[in-house]
Amino acid sequence: MHLWNDPQQPADTRVKALLAELTLDEKIGQLGSFWPTPRQAGQLAGDVAPMESGLSAGVTWDDATRHGLGHLTRNWGTEPVSVADGLAHLRDYQRQVIERSRFGIPAIAHEECLTGFTAYGATVYPAAIAWGATFDPDLIERMAHAIGADLAAVGVHQGLSPLLDVVRDYRWGRVEETTGEDPYLVATLGTAYVRGLQAAGVHATLKHFAGYSASRAGRNHAPVPMGRREFEDVILYPFEVAVREGGVRSVMNSYSDVDGVPAASDRELLTGVLRDRWGFDGVVVSDYWAVTFLETMHRVAAGPAEAAAQAVGAGLDVELPNTGTYAHLAAAVEAGLVDEAAIDASVARVLRQKVELGLLDPGFDPEQIGADRDLDAPANRKLAREVAEQSIVLLANDGVLPLAGGASVALIGPCADEPRTFLGCYSFPNHVLGRYPDLGLGIPVDSLLQGLTDRLGDAVGHTLGAPVLEPDRSGFDAAVALAAGSDVAVLAVGDLAGLFGQGTSGEGCDTEDLRLPGVQGDLVEAVLTTGTPVVLVVVSGRPYALGDYADRCAAVVQAFMPGEEGAAALTDVLTGVVNPSGRLPVGIPATVGGQPGTYLAPPLGWFSEGVSNLDPRPLYPFGFGLGYTRLELGEAVLDRSELPVDGELVVTVPVSNPGERAATEVVQVYLHDDVAEVTRPVVALIGYAKVTLEPGESAVARFRVHADRTSFTGADLRRIVEPGTMSLRVGTSSRDIVTELTFNITGQRRVVPEGRVLTTPWTLDRA
């Protein structure tokens, strides 16, 4: 047995021994990848990654695997294959990789898994923006573990999720893939996902490191004009939490350039921040073709050898999805563009990952990879429904909801009878199956029409009204007639996810403003003229401006792409079976323009009387949501009024349920800094607790707030805790504050070292 195959040896010993035996070409092979193209000729009609068609051309299996291979790209996620066929393909690929490697080194198989395993017939969970609406890390961890178990069962080693991008502009198409606009919410939910996936034996991958979501004007891949302070305090924070507290094993770079420096060639980011400051010892993989983009898009490299040298030199270990630019690494070494030691460092990290995954153990046999698996098992669907139910947000209700038994219901709108509107961009039905129209969705997905009809029977009438995007008003008259003749109108509007302009939400589906797509806004106006009470149900991947009609609707419900069980979850909420508990992970704008920003803004970024005629305040704020019964928050108290610059205080919040049914509230704690040496957000979430109580039950939530949680990047660009007066605002949204608690931070200005307290633990004591 070779030393590197001995599982009794320390990982570093095994890696060092194998690395010493590899030639330069073999090392480069470990930093490359291959993406099998669809096996059915003529089926490829649309890209599932940016510029896929052109950039995949000319990359052959023989060339990619001649000296070994680092990664196998999306064996399951590229075309519809059965579990049996997918396993057969993966086993064959791995057998060939091992045979072509002088030392029999297998490849890491990676897949997308943001809304569940992106594979034919696999469960489609709610989109990530819906996770944000749950405010429930434990639930997201359970969901991620289920996803990881499916991936591991069929031989997948690494999942390209979760996104830890913080929303900065609602117009960006990938808002649906994020968990919201607040760094603390993104950090806690993203880290929960990491823990769940990795507990199932699959390495998680943080995306997109870093700055991608802050692109200028919300355009995909656009430059990020951001200063160091915002980058540190808003953008980097969730990644740091997932590295330090989640133990994530992989990170993917952002496509964007921040202040002119592309992330793929940013050594300060990929090595200085990620490895030297945070202690990350895992693998950095490129977003698809990001290394090539250094030459072709960013134009910071004169050719492929220079681009490859820049990326490896920065600390980017593996080029995905194909070995293209990294095929020129040997030439880069020969030309003196990069030292072979940089390549050795990356190869060592890749080999260590393969050791951790058991790929170098003597028992690894490609013929034994995976097993038959129901990828949409009943337990999955039950969990998908739970996430969907907890993600639906009730925004307004004059008493029309829950829908009364016996009332006639007009169900109208493009999201009423199109189940794909419930599914995110990275769900297999929307991501791939659009190229295979004869295959349907691959899994059972009811529409809202089906769900309400099953529950209410003949009381439900239906007409389309208008499509999602096309400017077709021919259905308006039928919609008006149906609404006018019904007791209540349920108007389901919103998005249909797609790729690169083929949808209204998703990667490359950015928008100019925040009006509902197509003529849906006009449809809402037409139905409102009937005088029939309107329940507006928005099924979307981003928030849309509802200020023109929300106050004329009897109720407003926001559903963020609730997944394959979305119809059941929405039906249960609308009929009162489920008491809605979702809270907004993004604000809902009042106007279609003038507010592409978020609640996390300094004073001049918020409403300023007499300064501007534009009011950026949302119609419904971050953290907001109603229920059919509500918990009550009592007066919160602090255990101390003075906090040393390195101390901790405790916030105690009484919570009770005076209602007649179980109810849930998200207790939210915000920080307000009275005076600081640099401008600070008016309020920023630093803690939250999702509390469910039975009728008549009461409890006390306690939050432990360390002084580090007040820290920020100061005028000298060092992280500091600054003495002075601050307050904690406890409430049920960023606007709905029940108690404001003032305290003083005492002592001298403290520079906070690496390894600070990153989160706010809480406990719940039930009476």
Side-chain angles (χ1 to χ4, degrees), residues 592-631:
V592 300
Q595 198 229 332
T598 72
Y599 96 98
L600 201 67
L604 288 182
W606 205 234
F607 179 68
S608 303
E609 189 73 48
V611 171
S612 172
N613 62 310
L614 297 180
D615 186 350
R617 291 175 295 187
L619 180 65
Y620 302 110
F622 171 84
F624 180 78
L626 304 174
Y628 297 139
T629 62
R630 298 290 302 273
L631 301 187

mmCIF file of all heavy atoms in Angstrom, residues 592-631:
data_model
loop_
_atom_site.group_PDB
_atom_site.id
_atom_site.type_symbol
_atom_site.label_atom_id
_atom_site.label_comp_id
_atom_site.label_asym_id
_atom_site.label_seq_id
_atom_site.Cartn_x
_atom_site.Cartn_y
_atom_site.Cartn_z
ATOM 1 N N VAL A 592 -41.756 51.789 -8.014
ATOM 2 C CA VAL A 592 -41.000 50.923 -8.927
ATOM 3 C C VAL A 592 -39.565 51.382 -9.113
ATOM 4 O O VAL A 592 -38.705 50.613 -9.527
ATOM 5 C CB VAL A 592 -41.700 50.823 -10.305
ATOM 6 C CG1 VAL A 592 -43.086 50.256 -10.138
ATOM 7 C CG2 VAL A 592 -41.735 52.168 -11.003
ATOM 8 N N GLY A 593 -39.290 52.632 -8.830
ATOM 9 C CA GLY A 593 -37.929 53.148 -8.922
ATOM 10 C C GLY A 593 -37.617 53.962 -7.686
ATOM 11 O O GLY A 593 -38.465 54.195 -6.832
ATOM 12 N N GLY A 594 -36.373 54.373 -7.556
ATOM 13 C CA GLY A 594 -36.002 55.206 -6.424
ATOM 14 C C GLY A 594 -35.687 54.449 -5.165
ATOM 15 O O GLY A 594 -35.227 55.021 -4.190
ATOM 16 N N GLN A 595 -35.942 53.150 -5.175
ATOM 17 C CA GLN A 595 -35.596 52.355 -4.010
ATOM 18 C C GLN A 595 -35.081 50.980 -4.424
ATOM 19 O O GLN A 595 -35.683 49.959 -4.142
ATOM 20 C CB GLN A 595 -36.790 52.186 -3.070
ATOM 21 C CG GLN A 595 -36.360 51.749 -1.668
ATOM 22 C CD GLN A 595 -37.155 50.562 -1.163
ATOM 23 O OE1 GLN A 595 -38.290 50.381 -1.546
ATOM 24 N NE2 GLN A 595 -36.552 49.760 -0.319
ATOM 25 N N PRO A 596 -33.955 50.954 -5.114
ATOM 26 C CA PRO A 596 -33.333 49.660 -5.370
ATOM 27 C C PRO A 596 -32.483 49.204 -4.196
ATOM 28 O O PRO A 596 -31.920 48.125 -4.218
ATOM 29 C CB PRO A 596 -32.471 49.931 -6.605
ATOM 30 C CG PRO A 596 -32.079 51.359 -6.459
ATOM 31 C CD PRO A 596 -33.251 52.041 -5.795
ATOM 32 N N GLY A 597 -32.332 50.050 -3.163
ATOM 33 C CA GLY A 597 -31.486 49.729 -2.027
ATOM 34 C C GLY A 597 -32.228 48.945 -0.965
ATOM 35 O O GLY A 597 -33.348 48.491 -1.162
ATOM 36 N N THR A 598 -31.605 48.802 0.207
ATOM 37 C CA THR A 598 -32.162 47.973 1.263
ATOM 38 C C THR A 598 -32.221 48.750 2.565
ATOM 39 O O THR A 598 -31.746 49.885 2.651
ATOM 40 C CB THR A 598 -31.304 46.710 1.461
ATOM 41 O OG1 THR A 598 -30.066 47.067 2.091
ATOM 42 C CG2 THR A 598 -31.012 46.024 0.129
ATOM 43 N N TYR A 599 -32.793 48.110 3.592
ATOM 44 C CA TYR A 599 -32.947 48.794 4.872
ATOM 45 C C TYR A 599 -31.614 49.119 5.527
ATOM 46 O O TYR A 599 -31.517 50.015 6.361
ATOM 47 C CB TYR A 599 -33.797 47.939 5.822
ATOM 48 C CG TYR A 599 -33.005 47.070 6.767
ATOM 49 C CD1 TYR A 599 -32.767 47.475 8.081
ATOM 50 C CD2 TYR A 599 -32.480 45.846 6.364
ATOM 51 C CE1 TYR A 599 -32.036 46.693 8.966
ATOM 52 C CE2 TYR A 599 -31.753 45.061 7.237
ATOM 53 C CZ TYR A 599 -31.529 45.485 8.540
ATOM 54 O OH TYR A 599 -30.802 44.724 9.408
ATOM 55 N N LEU A 600 -30.570 48.415 5.158
ATOM 56 C CA LEU A 600 -29.269 48.568 5.812
ATOM 57 C C LEU A 600 -28.555 49.783 5.207
ATOM 58 O O LEU A 600 -27.665 49.660 4.371
ATOM 59 C CB LEU A 600 -28.449 47.301 5.615
ATOM 60 C CG LEU A 600 -27.306 47.072 6.599
ATOM 61 C CD1 LEU A 600 -27.846 46.804 7.998
ATOM 62 C CD2 LEU A 600 -26.431 45.920 6.137
ATOM 63 N N ALA A 601 -28.971 50.956 5.658
ATOM 64 C CA ALA A 601 -28.486 52.198 5.070
ATOM 65 C C ALA A 601 -28.139 53.208 6.158
ATOM 66 O O ALA A 601 -28.782 53.241 7.208
ATOM 67 C CB ALA A 601 -29.564 52.792 4.157
ATOM 68 N N PRO A 602 -27.131 54.057 5.912
ATOM 69 C CA PRO A 602 -26.813 55.138 6.856
ATOM 70 C C PRO A 602 -27.863 56.242 6.747
ATOM 71 O O PRO A 602 -28.719 56.203 5.852
ATOM 72 C CB PRO A 602 -25.432 55.616 6.387
ATOM 73 C CG PRO A 602 -25.418 55.307 4.921
ATOM 74 C CD PRO A 602 -26.214 54.049 4.755
ATOM 75 N N PRO A 603 -27.813 57.238 7.628
ATOM 76 C CA PRO A 603 -28.871 58.259 7.651
ATOM 77 C C PRO A 603 -29.159 58.902 6.296
ATOM 78 O O PRO A 603 -30.326 59.066 5.926
ATOM 79 C CB PRO A 603 -28.340 59.283 8.662
ATOM 80 C CG PRO A 603 -27.532 58.467 9.611
ATOM 81 C CD PRO A 603 -26.879 57.415 8.763
ATOM 82 N N LEU A 604 -28.140 59.263 5.529
ATOM 83 C CA LEU A 604 -28.389 59.914 4.248
ATOM 84 C C LEU A 604 -28.833 58.930 3.167
ATOM 85 O O LEU A 604 -29.237 59.343 2.079
ATOM 86 C CB LEU A 604 -27.157 60.684 3.788
ATOM 87 C CG LEU A 604 -26.859 61.966 4.581
ATOM 88 C CD1 LEU A 604 -25.644 62.678 4.008
ATOM 89 C CD2 LEU A 604 -28.065 62.898 4.593
ATOM 90 N N GLY A 605 -28.764 57.642 3.450
ATOM 91 C CA GLY A 605 -29.297 56.642 2.528
ATOM 92 C C GLY A 605 -30.738 56.304 2.827
ATOM 93 O O GLY A 605 -31.370 55.546 2.099
ATOM 94 N N TRP A 606 -31.249 56.879 3.902
ATOM 95 C CA TRP A 606 -32.630 56.624 4.331
ATOM 96 C C TRP A 606 -33.440 57.884 4.083
ATOM 97 O O TRP A 606 -32.981 58.811 3.413
ATOM 98 C CB TRP A 606 -32.633 56.188 5.794
ATOM 99 C CG TRP A 606 -33.818 55.355 6.197
ATOM 100 C CD1 TRP A 606 -34.677 55.599 7.223
ATOM 101 C CD2 TRP A 606 -34.251 54.135 5.599
ATOM 102 N NE1 TRP A 606 -35.621 54.612 7.304
ATOM 103 C CE2 TRP A 606 -35.393 53.701 6.310
ATOM 104 C CE3 TRP A 606 -33.811 53.363 4.517
ATOM 105 C CZ2 TRP A 606 -36.096 52.538 5.989
ATOM 106 C CZ3 TRP A 606 -34.507 52.204 4.190
ATOM 107 C CH2 TRP A 606 -35.620 51.801 4.924
ATOM 108 N N PHE A 607 -34.635 57.944 4.589
ATOM 109 C CA PHE A 607 -35.464 59.125 4.360
ATOM 110 C C PHE A 607 -34.869 60.334 5.067
ATOM 111 O O PHE A 607 -34.555 60.285 6.261
ATOM 112 C CB PHE A 607 -36.888 58.880 4.871
ATOM 113 C CG PHE A 607 -37.792 60.063 4.699
ATOM 114 C CD1 PHE A 607 -38.169 60.479 3.434
ATOM 115 C CD2 PHE A 607 -38.258 60.769 5.795
ATOM 116 C CE1 PHE A 607 -38.996 61.570 3.262
ATOM 117 C CE2 PHE A 607 -39.090 61.857 5.634
ATOM 118 C CZ PHE A 607 -39.465 62.268 4.360
ATOM 119 N N SER A 608 -34.681 61.408 4.327
ATOM 120 C CA SER A 608 -34.093 62.632 4.870
ATOM 121 C C SER A 608 -34.982 63.809 4.493
ATOM 122 O O SER A 608 -35.004 64.228 3.322
ATOM 123 C CB SER A 608 -32.678 62.853 4.316
ATOM 124 O OG SER A 608 -31.854 61.736 4.595
ATOM 125 N N GLU A 609 -35.747 64.300 5.430
ATOM 126 C CA GLU A 609 -36.690 65.391 5.178
ATOM 127 C C GLU A 609 -35.960 66.589 4.588
ATOM 128 O O GLU A 609 -34.960 67.072 5.127
ATOM 129 C CB GLU A 609 -37.363 65.805 6.496
ATOM 130 C CG GLU A 609 -38.524 66.776 6.314
ATOM 131 C CD GLU A 609 -39.758 66.093 5.732
ATOM 132 O OE1 GLU A 609 -40.135 65.008 6.235
ATOM 133 O OE2 GLU A 609 -40.314 66.630 4.773
ATOM 134 N N GLY A 610 -36.440 67.090 3.443
ATOM 135 C CA GLY A 610 -35.883 68.278 2.832
ATOM 136 C C GLY A 610 -34.649 68.052 2.001
ATOM 137 O O GLY A 610 -34.125 69.010 1.410
ATOM 138 N N VAL A 611 -34.143 66.832 1.938
ATOM 139 C CA VAL A 611 -32.915 66.562 1.193
ATOM 140 C C VAL A 611 -33.224 66.065 -0.216
ATOM 141 O O VAL A 611 -32.591 66.459 -1.190
ATOM 142 C CB VAL A 611 -32.034 65.545 1.949
ATOM 143 C CG1 VAL A 611 -30.862 65.098 1.092
ATOM 144 C CG2 VAL A 611 -31.537 66.151 3.250
ATOM 145 N N SER A 612 -34.196 65.173 -0.329
ATOM 146 C CA SER A 612 -34.558 64.617 -1.634
ATOM 147 C C SER A 612 -36.063 64.404 -1.689
ATOM 148 O O SER A 612 -36.709 64.145 -0.661
ATOM 149 C CB SER A 612 -33.845 63.283 -1.869
ATOM 150 O OG SER A 612 -34.333 62.649 -3.039
ATOM 151 N N ASN A 613 -36.620 64.507 -2.886
ATOM 152 C CA ASN A 613 -38.045 64.236 -3.049
ATOM 153 C C ASN A 613 -38.342 62.750 -3.142
ATOM 154 O O ASN A 613 -39.505 62.344 -3.145
ATOM 155 C CB ASN A 613 -38.575 64.927 -4.310
ATOM 156 C CG ASN A 613 -37.889 64.417 -5.561
ATOM 157 O OD1 ASN A 613 -36.669 64.353 -5.631
ATOM 158 N ND2 ASN A 613 -38.673 64.047 -6.558
ATOM 159 N N LEU A 614 -37.308 61.908 -3.195
ATOM 160 C CA LEU A 614 -37.489 60.464 -3.264
ATOM 161 C C LEU A 614 -37.430 59.865 -1.870
ATOM 162 O O LEU A 614 -36.475 60.102 -1.125
ATOM 163 C CB LEU A 614 -36.420 59.823 -4.150
ATOM 164 C CG LEU A 614 -36.423 60.244 -5.625
ATOM 165 C CD1 LEU A 614 -35.305 59.526 -6.367
ATOM 166 C CD2 LEU A 614 -37.772 59.962 -6.281
ATOM 167 N N ASP A 615 -38.425 59.078 -1.540
ATOM 168 C CA ASP A 615 -38.495 58.430 -0.235
ATOM 169 C C ASP A 615 -38.143 56.956 -0.410
ATOM 170 O O ASP A 615 -38.890 56.200 -1.024
ATOM 171 C CB ASP A 615 -39.910 58.568 0.341
ATOM 172 C CG ASP A 615 -40.031 58.037 1.759
ATOM 173 O OD1 ASP A 615 -39.078 57.387 2.229
ATOM 174 O OD2 ASP A 615 -41.074 58.275 2.391
ATOM 175 N N PRO A 616 -36.994 56.509 0.111
ATOM 176 C CA PRO A 616 -36.569 55.127 -0.097
ATOM 177 C C PRO A 616 -37.229 54.126 0.837
ATOM 178 O O PRO A 616 -36.977 52.920 0.720
ATOM 179 C CB PRO A 616 -35.064 55.191 0.169
ATOM 180 C CG PRO A 616 -34.932 56.258 1.200
ATOM 181 C CD PRO A 616 -35.992 57.284 0.868
ATOM 182 N N ARG A 617 -38.052 54.579 1.774
ATOM 183 C CA ARG A 617 -38.622 53.646 2.744
ATOM 184 C C ARG A 617 -39.587 52.681 2.059
ATOM 185 O O ARG A 617 -40.369 53.072 1.199
ATOM 186 C CB ARG A 617 -39.333 54.422 3.850
ATOM 187 C CG ARG A 617 -38.390 55.203 4.748
ATOM 188 C CD ARG A 617 -39.119 56.044 5.761
ATOM 189 N NE ARG A 617 -39.916 57.100 5.134
ATOM 190 C CZ ARG A 617 -40.541 58.057 5.797
ATOM 191 N NH1 ARG A 617 -40.469 58.105 7.126
ATOM 192 N NH2 ARG A 617 -41.248 58.979 5.153
ATOM 193 N N PRO A 618 -39.538 51.419 2.441
ATOM 194 C CA PRO A 618 -40.366 50.413 1.768
ATOM 195 C C PRO A 618 -41.828 50.481 2.197
ATOM 196 O O PRO A 618 -42.168 51.069 3.235
ATOM 197 C CB PRO A 618 -39.743 49.091 2.214
ATOM 198 C CG PRO A 618 -39.197 49.399 3.571
ATOM 199 C CD PRO A 618 -38.705 50.821 3.494
ATOM 200 N N LEU A 619 -42.663 49.852 1.416
ATOM 201 C CA LEU A 619 -44.066 49.697 1.782
ATOM 202 C C LEU A 619 -44.190 48.745 2.962
ATOM 203 O O LEU A 619 -44.916 49.013 3.926
ATOM 204 C CB LEU A 619 -44.843 49.165 0.572
ATOM 205 C CG LEU A 619 -46.339 48.926 0.744
ATOM 206 C CD1 LEU A 619 -47.072 50.237 0.984
ATOM 207 C CD2 LEU A 619 -46.893 48.213 -0.500
ATOM 208 N N TYR A 620 -43.488 47.626 2.878
ATOM 209 C CA TYR A 620 -43.422 46.650 3.967
ATOM 210 C C TYR A 620 -41.949 46.432 4.290
ATOM 211 O O TYR A 620 -41.155 46.095 3.413
ATOM 212 C CB TYR A 620 -44.080 45.325 3.576
ATOM 213 C CG TYR A 620 -45.530 45.449 3.173
ATOM 214 C CD1 TYR A 620 -45.926 45.257 1.852
ATOM 215 C CD2 TYR A 620 -46.513 45.746 4.121
ATOM 216 C CE1 TYR A 620 -47.253 45.359 1.476
ATOM 217 C CE2 TYR A 620 -47.848 45.857 3.749
ATOM 218 C CZ TYR A 620 -48.206 45.661 2.418
ATOM 219 O OH TYR A 620 -49.524 45.778 2.055
ATOM 220 N N PRO A 621 -41.542 46.599 5.542
ATOM 221 C CA PRO A 621 -40.113 46.603 5.862
ATOM 222 C C PRO A 621 -39.517 45.218 6.046
ATOM 223 O O PRO A 621 -40.237 44.224 6.248
ATOM 224 C CB PRO A 621 -40.085 47.370 7.193
ATOM 225 C CG PRO A 621 -41.389 47.036 7.833
ATOM 226 C CD PRO A 621 -42.388 46.951 6.698
ATOM 227 N N PHE A 622 -38.206 45.176 5.990
ATOM 228 C CA PHE A 622 -37.460 43.956 6.313
ATOM 229 C C PHE A 622 -37.921 43.411 7.670
ATOM 230 O O PHE A 622 -38.078 44.159 8.640
ATOM 231 C CB PHE A 622 -35.962 44.249 6.361
ATOM 232 C CG PHE A 622 -35.143 43.099 6.883
ATOM 233 C CD1 PHE A 622 -34.741 42.078 6.052
ATOM 234 C CD2 PHE A 622 -34.785 43.026 8.224
ATOM 235 C CE1 PHE A 622 -34.010 41.005 6.529
ATOM 236 C CE2 PHE A 622 -34.050 41.961 8.722
ATOM 237 C CZ PHE A 622 -33.660 40.952 7.868
ATOM 238 N N GLY A 623 -38.149 42.100 7.714
ATOM 239 C CA GLY A 623 -38.537 41.453 8.958
ATOM 240 C C GLY A 623 -40.022 41.422 9.220
ATOM 241 O O GLY A 623 -40.479 40.795 10.185
ATOM 242 N N PHE A 624 -40.830 42.058 8.366
ATOM 243 C CA PHE A 624 -42.261 42.203 8.624
ATOM 244 C C PHE A 624 -43.036 40.966 8.201
ATOM 245 O O PHE A 624 -42.697 40.268 7.246
ATOM 246 C CB PHE A 624 -42.789 43.417 7.859
ATOM 247 C CG PHE A 624 -44.262 43.671 8.042
ATOM 248 C CD1 PHE A 624 -44.741 44.264 9.195
ATOM 249 C CD2 PHE A 624 -45.166 43.316 7.050
ATOM 250 C CE1 PHE A 624 -46.104 44.504 9.363
ATOM 251 C CE2 PHE A 624 -46.518 43.549 7.209
ATOM 252 C CZ PHE A 624 -46.990 44.142 8.371
ATOM 253 N N GLY A 625 -44.123 40.712 8.902
ATOM 254 C CA GLY A 625 -45.055 39.662 8.548
ATOM 255 C C GLY A 625 -46.158 39.565 9.574
ATOM 256 O O GLY A 625 -45.944 39.838 10.758
ATOM 257 N N LEU A 626 -47.342 39.194 9.124
ATOM 258 C CA LEU A 626 -48.503 39.060 9.990
ATOM 259 C C LEU A 626 -48.876 37.598 10.151
ATOM 260 O O LEU A 626 -48.346 36.719 9.467
ATOM 261 C CB LEU A 626 -49.692 39.830 9.407
ATOM 262 C CG LEU A 626 -49.493 41.313 9.111
ATOM 263 C CD1 LEU A 626 -50.727 41.866 8.394
ATOM 264 C CD2 LEU A 626 -49.218 42.080 10.390
ATOM 265 N N GLY A 627 -49.815 37.331 11.054
ATOM 266 C CA GLY A 627 -50.401 36.014 11.223
ATOM 267 C C GLY A 627 -51.886 36.172 11.478
ATOM 268 O O GLY A 627 -52.402 37.287 11.630
ATOM 269 N N TYR A 628 -52.600 35.063 11.528
ATOM 270 C CA TYR A 628 -54.026 35.123 11.864
ATOM 271 C C TYR A 628 -54.219 35.350 13.352
ATOM 272 O O TYR A 628 -55.250 35.867 13.776
ATOM 273 C CB TYR A 628 -54.734 33.851 11.392
ATOM 274 C CG TYR A 628 -54.696 33.697 9.891
ATOM 275 C CD1 TYR A 628 -54.462 32.461 9.294
ATOM 276 C CD2 TYR A 628 -54.880 34.796 9.059
ATOM 277 C CE1 TYR A 628 -54.432 32.314 7.918
ATOM 278 C CE2 TYR A 628 -54.835 34.664 7.671
ATOM 279 C CZ TYR A 628 -54.609 33.417 7.113
ATOM 280 O OH TYR A 628 -54.571 33.287 5.744
ATOM 281 N N THR A 629 -53.261 34.929 14.147
ATOM 282 C CA THR A 629 -53.133 35.378 15.540
ATOM 283 C C THR A 629 -51.675 35.710 15.759
ATOM 284 O O THR A 629 -50.794 35.182 15.065
ATOM 285 C CB THR A 629 -53.568 34.308 16.553
ATOM 286 O OG1 THR A 629 -52.715 33.158 16.407
ATOM 287 C CG2 THR A 629 -55.022 33.898 16.348
ATOM 288 N N ARG A 630 -51.379 36.609 16.684
ATOM 289 C CA ARG A 630 -50.020 37.092 16.882
ATOM 290 C C ARG A 630 -49.573 36.901 18.316
ATOM 291 O O ARG A 630 -50.378 36.968 19.255
ATOM 292 C CB ARG A 630 -49.925 38.590 16.547
ATOM 293 C CG ARG A 630 -50.242 38.961 15.113
ATOM 294 C CD ARG A 630 -49.161 38.472 14.157
ATOM 295 N NE ARG A 630 -47.844 38.995 14.476
ATOM 296 C CZ ARG A 630 -47.383 40.158 14.021
ATOM 297 N NH1 ARG A 630 -48.110 40.919 13.251
ATOM 298 N NH2 ARG A 630 -46.151 40.546 14.347
ATOM 299 N N LEU A 631 -48.292 36.660 18.472
ATOM 300 C CA LEU A 631 -47.704 36.704 19.801
ATOM 301 C C LEU A 631 -47.494 38.150 20.214
ATOM 302 O O LEU A 631 -47.331 39.042 19.370
ATOM 303 C CB LEU A 631 -46.364 35.964 19.826
ATOM 304 C CG LEU A 631 -46.360 34.490 19.441
ATOM 305 C CD1 LEU A 631 -44.976 33.894 19.692
ATOM 306 C CD2 LEU A 631 -47.427 33.704 20.190
#
